[in-house]
Amino acid sequence: MTVRHYEETDLPQMIAIWNEVVEEGIAFPQEELLTETAGAEFFAAQTLSAVAEENGTVYGLYILHPNNVGRCGHICNASYAVSSQSRGKHIGELLVKDCLVQAKKCGFGVLQFNAVVESNTHARHLYERLGFVQLGTIPRGFRMKDGHFENICPYYHVL
């Protein structure tokens, strides 16, 4: 499995994986699905978009971008998506580790996650194992697909 910058030919698989996570409604704040055009624009607009790929199949991806501007522009943010059929195979770990390296290469000093859903224990354990620090808890910060609210946990990692 290789983690690399995305290529235009990866876009259909990337959009499908991204939309799968959006449709699940339990991790990403987005509610609108990406179309082919919107997806191409979205992934091109990031500081970095990368895929976990093997033999032409994309199993997961991440996006990296500034979390803020100006005096806080050294802080970046990232989102990760792994296809449901590929979860549990440590692809997320490969993506996060690569993201940490690439974020530093891009000149960022801190990687911050604004809204990790508290019940997303697999992601939270991974982040903590990789050295991320939880900043606290925001009560009822995320509206789940079924309409109930769950707490979110911001995390950061100094690069």
Side-chain angles (χ1 to χ4, degrees):
M1 181 91 44
T2 303
V3 179
R4 59 165 174 77
H5 289 70
Y6 87 103
E7 299 170 358
E8 193 172 320
T9 55
D10 299 321
L11 283 169
Q13 294 177 86
M14 293 171 70
I15 292 167
I17 293 168
W18 186 270
N19 285 345
E20 181 182 22
V21 175
V22 170
E23 283 182 322
E24 287 173 338
I26 60 173
F28 283 179
Q30 292 86 355
E31 295 179 298
E32 298 294 321
L33 300 180
L34 293 175
T35 63
E36 183 178 325
T37 301
E41 292 172 1
F42 175 73
F43 292 116
Q46 306 303 316
T47 301
L48 181 89
S49 293
V51 297
E53 175 267 335
E54 189 171 65
N55 299 323
T57 300
V58 174
Y59 295 95
L61 63 103
Y62 73 84
I63 59 169
L64 175 70
H65 52 87
N67 194 52
N68 213 317
V69 297
R71 297 183 199 285
C72 295
H74 63 287
I75 301 173
C76 61
N77 183 270
S79 298
Y80 308 92
V82 176
S83 72
S84 61
Q85 300 148 339
S86 305
R87 293 180 190 156
K89 299 179 180 177
H90 305 286
I91 295 167
E93 183 172 355
L94 290 173
L95 293 168
V96 176
K97 284 181 173 179
D98 186 77
C99 183
L100 288 166
V101 170
Q102 297 302 323
K104 189 170 185 171
K105 284 183 182 178
C106 289
F108 293 110
V110 176
L111 175 54
Q112 178 177 316
F113 302 144
N114 301 324
V116 180
V117 178
E118 189 172 53
S119 62
N120 190 351
T121 56
H122 293 295
R124 295 182 62 215
H125 290 156
L126 170 62
Y127 301 151
E128 290 168 11
R129 193 171 73 249
L130 295 178
F132 285 82
V133 177
Q134 183 178 336
L135 291 168
T137 301
I138 301 169
R140 298 176 43 87
F142 190 92
R143 183 176 40 80
M144 303 294 277
K145 185 175 183 173
D146 68 4
H148 83 276
F149 288 89
E150 291 203 12
N151 299 339
I152 55 175
C153 306
Y155 280 87
Y156 78 97
H157 191 295
V158 175
L159 303 171

